[in-house]
Amino acid sequence: MSALSGLCFEMIPIQLLRKVSVFQGLTDEQLERIASLCTEETYSAGSLILKEGEPAEQFHILREGRVTLEMGIRMWPERPVRQMSVETLNAGQPFGLSALLESDNLTMSARALDNCRSIVLQGRDLLALMELDQAMACEINRGLSNVLASRLRYARLGLTEFLGHRQVAREETPEESTAIRRIQYGINFRWIAIVGVVLITATANMVFGIRFSTLPIFIIVSIIALYNLAFRWYTERMESAEAPNLIPHVRRYVWIQSATDLVATTAIIHYAGGVENPLFLYYVFHVTLASIILPYRSAYLLATLAVGLFTSLVGLEYLQVIPHVHLQGLVPPDLYLQAPYVVAILFGFGTTLYISTYLTTAVSGELRKRQRETAALHDRLLLEAEELQRANEELVRLDRLKTYFLAMASHDLKTPLAAVQSYLQVLLGGFVGDLEAEHRRMLERCSVRIQELFDLINRFLDLAQIEKGKVVEEMDVVSVQELLNSCAEEVRVLAADKSQELRTDIPADLPTVYGSPSHLKQVVTNLLSNGVKYTPNGGTITLCARELDDQLEIEVCDNGMGVDPDDLPHLFEQFYRGKGGDAAHGAGLGLSIVKRIVEAHQGQIWVESPYADGKPGSRFAFTLPKGKPAGLKIFGD
Ligand code: ADP
């Protein structure tokens, strides 16, 4: 495959191998073993070292020079494959990875940009070595996957740039293939025209008895057939060749064809009666067909050429500079010499031609514009889709990182805190001697603070767990009535501390729901304890439940301080604490956790404050579907 110009068997120093990303993390001894398999090869600038799609047998590490990795891209089904440069490699970078991956699908073409030196390893030798040494295999595979990931990124960037390139984006579009298809129509039309001219000539002569010499016409028709063959051959060549600037090229080609046709038509008209022949209007066909492909200027130029040729023919015959062929039996013999008739014909001819050129270019120009817009839109969509995907991948990565960090940090924080808390309990319990009142007070405050920190960490952990789909994993049939009553009992003690009344209105025949008992308990307890927290001493907190059509509604109302209207839209956001939050300790995580749990159960939660006319306080309500909800949502999926 390669344009190999030299082989060298000098031992490769392991210091060199150590710098190669794929071999990082290997011991000296492992590197020595790899070095013993290496040879060195040189390549001249421009030579192809690896070819896309063919299995790479050798794994290369570039030692000197630059190598470009290329892949073939076919933009449109009917267009040739174009080579796109994915990445330019410098010294130290590996290529021929597929020699180690046992897949030639991944091979990209590698072309030397300069005279290059490359360290070469036979893929099968290195694989054999990796089989014997699993630790080495592990390190090398890790390195390979990193290189592959970065290649993929480069390929994506390269593709973006490639698509954004003007030539590819705007000219290598369906517009090109349409243009070529139209040329083919033109060629087919010419064959029909040739047959038509022969038939018309023969019919006029033999059937209608219009007398004129047919030989020159048949000679011209033969010339047309010859050049049509030449055009067909050239069109086929143009279609298969990779032309960088196809559209301008196609246009020039169409213009030349049309001009040739006009000259041939003029010659036929000349030998078939000149101005006497009504078929001079056939000029219009040529100009119309060409105007579909040509830009405005070229189309008008062609129309002018047609007018010029016909006017010259008629004019020169009128002035008797060239002989006139009379169509005997069709028109009077001196018609071509009657100035008013000749002028009228020329005027009619000229206006017909220009008007049809105007109409055709206007319509086809509009169509071309739409076609380009569609192609540009297609390109833009591709780019945007890629950007969106990249952003999405980044979001998913960050989200995973966040969950992982939360879980790790929370666990690692809890252990030392638990140790500190137990020492504090030992001190406060008097196990190491009596404490002075002031010391005891300070230690008690420490203990309370540590407990708060514990609560905060537990909430972090809750968040991480909910996101990991824990809620759904724990789901089972839950008796809502029992659950609510047990929550109320738990919080009743807290309420009693503040001389508050905790009322319940829980029907005994409430249906069951499908949910995570511990998490649902967390929701209700949280709402109830918030009620206690944000309601002054002596207030009332109410827990009610009712059955609706296909769901249950559970509400916690209080007659406390209520929620400020500005806070209402943000209350369920993470770390959001309302204006009334200062009245109690907290981190602003409780309601966001509650919301996630409810949503994991496919329910909804909301707050109203004030919730009834004339009643201060707030009403937190949430719904739960009765029975097992269809298509449970798992966070973190
Ligand atoms: P925290 O209570 O730890 O601040 P939450 O997420 O439980 O966090 O509550 C967020 C905010 O919602 C609180 O800071 C408070 O301003 C407001 N809030 C919650 N429950 C009530 C309630 N029953 N009455 C008034 N305000 C409330």
Side-chain angles (χ1 to χ4, degrees):
M1 177 74 276
S2 57
L4 179 70
S5 58
L7 254 177
C8 171
F9 293 100
E10 160 213 340
M11 179 83 168
I12 303 295
I14 64 163
Q15 289 80 351
L16 212 67
L17 294 182
R18 191 175 295 130
K19 287 191 200 142
V20 180
S21 58
V22 176
F23 297 145
Q24 256 157 38
L26 296 187
T27 62
D28 284 359
E29 195 206 331
Q30 287 168 327
L31 290 174
E32 293 278 10
R33 265 183 279 149
I34 293 174
S36 69
L37 300 177
C38 294
T39 54
E40 197 178 275
E41 291 183 8
T42 55
Y43 299 91
S44 51
S47 58
L48 198 59
I49 307 172
L50 295 174
K51 191 173 177 202
E52 183 175 8
E54 285 183 6
E57 283 162 9
Q58 297 170 328
F59 175 69
H60 294 253
I61 297 149
L62 194 59
R63 191 166 183 183
E64 204 179 280
R66 287 172 313 142
V67 162
T68 168
L69 297 180
E70 296 173 344
M71 59 197 254
I73 305 282
R74 191 190 294 279
M75 278 296 295
W76 307 100
E78 61 273 64
R79 295 308 302 154
V81 174
R82 282 166 178 270
Q83 287 301 311
M84 180 191 93
S85 170
V86 173
E87 194 179 358
T88 303
L89 305 182
N90 294 309
Q93 288 183 283
F95 62 99
L97 307 188
S98 55
L100 303 180
L101 298 169
E102 297 177 27
S103 162
D104 46 85
N105 290 340
L106 295 163
T107 318
M108 291 191 237
S109 295
R111 190 186 299 280
L113 287 178
D114 315 310
N115 289 336
C116 293
R117 275 206 296 163
S118 160
I119 299 172
V120 179
L121 274 152
Q122 294 303 325
R124 57 174 187 282
D125 293 351
L126 186 54
L127 283 172
L129 205 62
M130 286 159 70
E131 205 146 298
L132 292 175
D133 186 341
Q134 291 299 316
M136 176 200 276
C138 194
E139 289 299 334
I140 293 182
N141 282 332
R142 196 200 312 261
L144 281 177
S145 56
N146 283 341
V147 175
L148 271 177
S150 105
R151 290 258 148 102
L152 206 64
R153 202 170 66 85
Y154 274 108
R156 234 166 37 186
L157 290 177
L159 208 57
T160 313
E161 205 177 299
F162 188 79
L163 288 174
H165 196 264
R166 193 188 139 267
Q167 196 172 300
V168 175
R170 277 171 249 311
E171 301 205 331
E172 285 254 321
T173 60
E175 191 184 348
E176 258 184 7
S177 49
T178 317
I180 291 182
R181 239 189 357 260
R182 284 187 184 144
I183 292 180
Q184 279 160 347
Y185 295 154
I187 289 172
N188 293 342
F189 175 70
R190 208 172 278 122
W191 292 126
I192 298 170
I194 287 171
V195 176
V197 170
V198 171
L199 284 179
I200 292 173
T201 309
T203 318
N205 235 297
M206 292 182 230
V207 182
F208 295 104
I210 304 169
R211 298 266 157 254
F212 61 99
S213 168
T214 51
L215 183 69
I217 293 178
F218 291 138
I219 292 174
I220 297 167
V221 165
S222 313
I223 294 172
I224 297 177
L226 280 179
Y227 78 65
N228 204 30
L229 279 177
F231 282 147
R232 200 179 70 175
W233 169 79
Y234 186 75
T235 309
E236 278 166 8
R237 232 190 56 160
M238 187 169 74
E239 213 181 346
S240 53
E242 189 185 343
N245 238 350
L246 200 60
I247 287 291
H249 185 73
V250 164
R251 286 182 179 157
R252 264 197 309 276
Y253 180 47
V254 168
W255 204 91
I256 290 168
Q257 283 194 48
S258 310
T260 318
D261 283 338
L262 291 180
V263 173
T265 309
T266 311
I268 291 178
I269 296 282
H270 170 59
Y271 286 105
V275 77
E276 292 174 10
N277 192 335
L279 301 187
F280 64 80
L281 282 174
Y282 281 14
Y283 276 107
V284 178
F285 293 146
H286 298 297
V287 175
T288 310
L289 204 70
S291 307
I292 295 173
I293 305 178
L294 296 179
Y296 299 86
R297 264 199 15 218
S298 314
Y300 281 109
L301 204 66
L302 204 71
T304 309
L305 178 70
V307 171
L309 281 170
F310 187 62
T311 311
S312 311
L313 172 74
V314 173
L316 290 175
E317 285 185 12
Y318 175 80
L319 297 173
Q320 301 189 345
V321 177
I322 53 170
H324 171 70
V325 177
H326 175 54
L327 300 179
Q328 265 181 35
L330 184 71
V331 288
D334 63 343
L335 191 66
Y336 76 102
L337 294 172
Q338 292 178 13
Y341 173 75
V342 171
V343 171
I345 288 286
L346 285 180
F347 176 76
F349 174 71
T351 46
T352 307
L353 220 56
Y354 281 117
I355 290 173
S356 46
T357 306
Y358 169 75
L359 292 177
T360 319
T361 48
V363 173
S364 69
E366 192 61 30
L367 283 177
R368 265 203 304 269
K369 210 171 105 197
R370 292 270 170 283
Q371 207 169 28
R372 277 187 206 142
E373 278 168 9
T374 316
L377 203 68
H378 170 261
D379 294 346
R380 226 184 41 231
L381 281 178
L382 274 180
L383 294 186
E384 278 173 10
E386 196 200 337
E387 264 161 31
L388 276 179
Q389 193 187 341
R390 212 174 312 155
N392 193 26
E393 280 166 12
E394 185 59 12
L395 278 177
V396 170
R397 194 183 69 80
L398 287 176
D399 198 53
R400 290 223 174 94
L401 210 66
K402 185 195 80 182
T403 313
Y404 175 76
F405 172 78
L406 274 178
M408 284 296 291
S410 308
H411 275 299
D412 290 355
L413 284 173
K414 267 172 97 173
T415 320
L417 276 184
V420 174
Q421 185 69 300
S422 61
Y423 280 124
L424 285 175
Q425 294 310 319
V426 171
L427 288 173
L428 287 168
F431 297 106
V432 285
D434 288 340
L435 294 171
E436 294 201 8
E438 180 63 6
H439 293 159
R440 168 171 292 278
R441 205 178 53 81
M442 284 162 82
L443 287 176
E444 273 169 357
R445 275 174 53 191
C446 283
S447 176
V448 169
R449 284 295 155 115
I450 284 189
Q451 193 51 47
E452 282 170 13
L453 210 53
F454 249 128
D455 291 344
L456 182 64
I457 291 170
N458 282 335
R459 302 221 147 178
F460 273 132
L461 274 176
D462 275 347
L463 260 182
Q465 283 195 340
I466 292 165
E467 285 182 6
K468 271 198 273 170
K470 203 78 180 164
V471 180
V472 177
E473 276 170 24
E474 287 178 3
M475 284 196 179
D476 205 346
V477 178
V478 180
S479 155
V480 180
Q481 191 228 357
E482 279 175 25
L483 185 122
L484 296 184
N485 280 323
S486 97
C487 293
E489 282 324 302
E490 261 179 43
V491 181
R492 209 175 285 285
V493 190
L494 286 179
D497 280 350
K498 290 180 79 176
S499 318
Q500 291 165 336
E501 188 187 350
L502 179 62
R503 290 186 198 152
T504 54
D505 179 5
I506 306 163
D509 56 350
L510 273 185
T512 54
V513 295
Y514 195 76
S516 153
S518 64
H519 284 97
L520 287 179
K521 202 164 175 184
Q522 191 178 353
V523 171
V524 182
T525 326
N526 206 305
L527 295 180
L528 283 174
S529 46
N530 269 357
V532 172
K533 225 159 63 168
Y534 298 108
T535 303
N537 289 1
T540 307
I541 295 103
T542 320
L543 172 65
C544 306
R546 68 182 66 88
E547 189 179 346
L548 304 177
D549 283 347
D550 51 357
Q551 51 192 5
L552 295 186
E553 189 182 84
I554 297 154
E555 65 171 38
V556 175
C557 305
D558 62 57
N559 58 358
M561 61 175 61
V563 181
D564 190 282
D566 289 345
D567 294 331
L568 277 175
H570 307 288
L571 229 52
F572 295 98
E573 288 170 13
Q574 282 180 35
F575 301 106
Y576 190 85
R577 304 210 68 214
K579 297 205 174 65
D582 299 343
H585 288 296
L589 273 176
L591 287 180
S592 66
I593 293 174
V594 161
K595 183 171 191 290
R596 280 171 190 235
I597 297 175
V598 171
E599 283 175 355
H601 285 81
Q602 305 211 332
Q604 280 178 323
I605 184 162
W606 66 97
V607 55
E608 292 161 36
S609 181
Y611 63 96
D613 284 345
K615 279 197 190 174
S618 43
R619 171 180 186 260
F620 286 82
F622 67 95
T623 56
L624 290 175
K626 285 199 261 183
K628 185 174 177 177
L632 282 172
K633 183 174 151 196
I634 302 180
F635 286 100
D637 260 8

